[in-house]
Amino acid sequence: MKIVVDTNVPAAEACFGALGEVIRVPGREIEPATLAEADALVVRSITRVDAALIEQARGAGSPLRFVGTCTIGTDHVDQQALADHDIAFASAPGCNADAVVDYVLSSLSTLAERQDFRLAERRVGIVGVGNVGGRLLERLTAMGIDCLACDPPRVEAESIEAEGLAGFHDLDTLIDECDVLCLHTPLVSEGPHATRHLLDAQRLAALAPGTLLLNAGRGDCVDGRALRQRLAGQGDITAVLDVWEQEPAIDAALADLAAIATPHIAGYSLDGKLRGTHRIYRALAHHVGLPSRLTLEDLAPAPPVARLVLEAGLSPEEALRLCLRAVYDPRRDHDSLHREARRQGMAKGFDACRARYPLRREAASLELVLGEGARELEPLLAGAGFQVRSELQAPSAERPAVR
């Protein structure tokens, strides 16, 4: 069996090598000729697996029988086209949800430092309460931060008669009442719950001065031109953007106006990528009737920063910022995007940042040991997703502390 795998899928040889011959191809270079002898295709979000790709590949005699995407989102895959050609499909829902939440928390913490506000005093509106938005809501609530949630499809699916019940509100209520607005919706082009340009010019104009808008869902959910005009004209709101219209040839002027602009890497933790690879490995093994003996633990290396010891002297905001940056600092990716865009142009620079993305772990990989003077920080830091213990508790592993 020949398995074509996006170059950016980690541990592909370790996982898929046990099932067949692995052929690595950059995601944007996968085309019908690439699949001429492929029995399976494993991609990430930059490869459009549409009807044209499938029909041309099958028309040329490709034996393709399985497509897997190592991502949460599936809007880059035409599942109906796969079904029409009897091609099995698998995705990895939730695989990088925790990484995206880390991105959101670290970005908010960075802006709180820059703009001199306390995150605990802000109300956060979460639009889309699926794998990512749901975990973000859980963590923020555990950290003591006030949140409002909006998810009309979920309200409808759960037969809730009126929004506002069970903690759900409509989008305009979030716009009116929240200081921070986080988008975590899939891209839906049509229908009663369409999300394309969900934040259109009218809704962007309704954002109160001082609002912080963060989009780590899908770029097309925000009218980028209207957002650029709001930022360039009034300049009274703040934008954090990880996803964009027309990736990788994104609006460079909008990127310059964003407080944090990153190249669709919010979910790019090593942990999240490995979960995605492992999910698709298991799905392909099941599809071909082979056992999946490799575990996720077999793939993950030890984190480069395993433990931090905190003593008295840090405010809650300082402690949270320190710990978040120990696992992820969004300023690095913001600077990288702008640097590579200057060197190579926006489209090539955008893809270069993704292709050469450095090692990044998740909050759950970091153990925090709290000294006697820092124990009041436990609810905040545990709520943020870290492993937390006091010095009186037995260590979870024999690893050297980083002080």
Side-chain angles (χ1 to χ4, degrees):
M1 177 168 63
K2 293 189 176 182
I3 309 167
V4 172
V5 184
D6 184 325
T7 303
N8 285 339
V9 172
E13 285 76 15
C15 287
F16 302 111
L19 305 177
E21 177 187 354
V22 175
I23 302 168
R24 291 282 205 164
V25 180
R28 295 199 194 278
E29 296 178 17
I30 293 173
E31 55 188 24
T34 311
L35 307 178
E37 299 180 352
D39 299 282
L41 171 64
V42 179
V43 299
R44 291 189 60 82
S45 59
I46 64 172
T47 303
R48 293 211 59 81
V49 184
D50 55 19
L53 177 68
I54 297 304
E55 289 169 5
Q56 291 178 42
R58 293 301 292 273
S62 170
L64 189 66
R65 283 286 179 266
F66 176 92
V67 171
T69 180
C70 303
T71 59
I72 290 177
T74 60
D75 51 81
H76 57 294
V77 179
D78 188 335
Q79 296 181 54
Q80 186 58 56
L82 296 181
D84 290 343
H85 290 277
D86 196 27
I87 298 173
F89 174 68
S91 62
C95 66
N96 64 351
D98 286 319
V100 179
V101 176
D102 290 347
Y103 173 94
V104 173
L105 295 183
S106 196
S107 295
L108 295 181
S109 176
T110 294
L111 291 179
E113 179 185 31
R114 285 182 184 172
Q115 299 179 4
D116 192 26
F117 67 83
R118 294 182 64 241
L119 185 56
E121 297 173 348
R122 298 297 173 99
R123 172 177 278 180
V124 178
I126 302 172
V127 185
V129 193
N131 283 307
V132 175
R135 295 187 200 192
L136 177 60
L137 179 61
E138 289 176 2
R139 282 211 230 171
L140 289 173
T141 301
M143 293 166 65
I145 295 171
D146 187 24
C147 298
L148 295 182
C150 170
D151 196 326
R154 181 172 174 181
V155 170
E156 184 176 281
E158 295 182 0
S159 300
I160 299 174
E161 293 182 359
E163 293 190 8
L165 297 178
F168 287 92
H169 305 266
D170 62 39
L171 177 55
D172 293 323
T173 297
L174 268 63
I175 289 174
D176 288 342
E177 298 187 10
C178 294
D179 309 292
V180 179
L181 199 63
C182 297
L183 301 187
H184 300 289
T185 65
L187 178 60
V188 180
S189 298
E190 300 176 345
H193 301 305
T195 60
R196 185 180 184 279
H197 285 187
L198 183 66
L199 283 191
D200 56 12
Q202 182 177 353
R203 280 181 166 142
L204 288 168
L207 295 175
T211 298
L212 195 163
L213 171 64
L214 187 151
N215 189 11
R218 285 292 181 263
D220 288 304
C221 294
V222 176
D223 184 334
R225 180 178 179 181
L227 177 58
R228 171 164 46 83
Q229 291 174 342
R230 173 76 193 260
L231 292 170
Q234 295 167 256
D236 59 351
I237 65 172
T238 301
V240 175
L241 302 174
D242 181 59
V243 290
W244 312 78
E245 294 179 295
Q246 305 298 322
E247 294 180 13
I250 69 171
D251 184 342
L254 178 56
D256 286 340
L257 291 166
I260 297 177
T262 52
H264 201 154
I265 47 70
Y268 260 37
S269 70
L270 178 62
D271 308 73
K273 286 185 175 183
L274 290 176
R275 285 190 209 101
T277 304
H278 191 256
R279 295 263 188 93
I280 301 307
Y281 153 71
R282 291 181 60 187
L284 179 55
H286 178 76
H287 176 71
V288 299
L290 293 174
S292 52
R293 296 189 175 93
L294 198 65
T295 68
L296 185 59
E297 290 70 27
D298 294 329
L299 302 176
V305 180
R307 184 187 301 175
L308 289 175
V309 178
L310 304 184
E311 302 289 356
L314 291 172
S315 70
E317 294 79 15
E318 290 170 329
L320 178 64
R321 186 162 56 246
L322 170 69
C323 296
L324 286 168
R325 287 180 179 166
V327 291
Y328 176 61
D329 187 344
R331 298 174 302 178
R332 176 197 68 188
D333 293 328
H334 172 90
D335 293 345
S336 176
L337 175 61
H338 286 281
R339 181 176 61 250
E340 293 305 317
R342 288 193 299 270
R343 289 176 178 173
Q344 306 182 54
M346 182 56 78
K348 289 184 178 179
F350 189 97
D351 276 348
C353 291
R354 290 165 59 88
R356 299 196 298 268
Y357 198 71
L359 179 69
R360 168 182 157 201
R361 302 305 297 269
E362 294 178 358
S365 71
L366 178 61
E367 180 182 62
L368 304 179
V369 181
L370 305 183
E372 184 174 356
R375 288 176 193 161
E376 70 276 5
L377 298 172
E378 182 171 359
L380 174 68
L381 298 177
F386 299 101
Q387 304 176 57
V388 181
R389 70 176 181 85
S390 70
E391 287 185 322
L392 298 178
Q393 297 171 320
S396 62
E398 291 301 323
R399 295 178 294 192
V402 179
R403 294 180 183 263

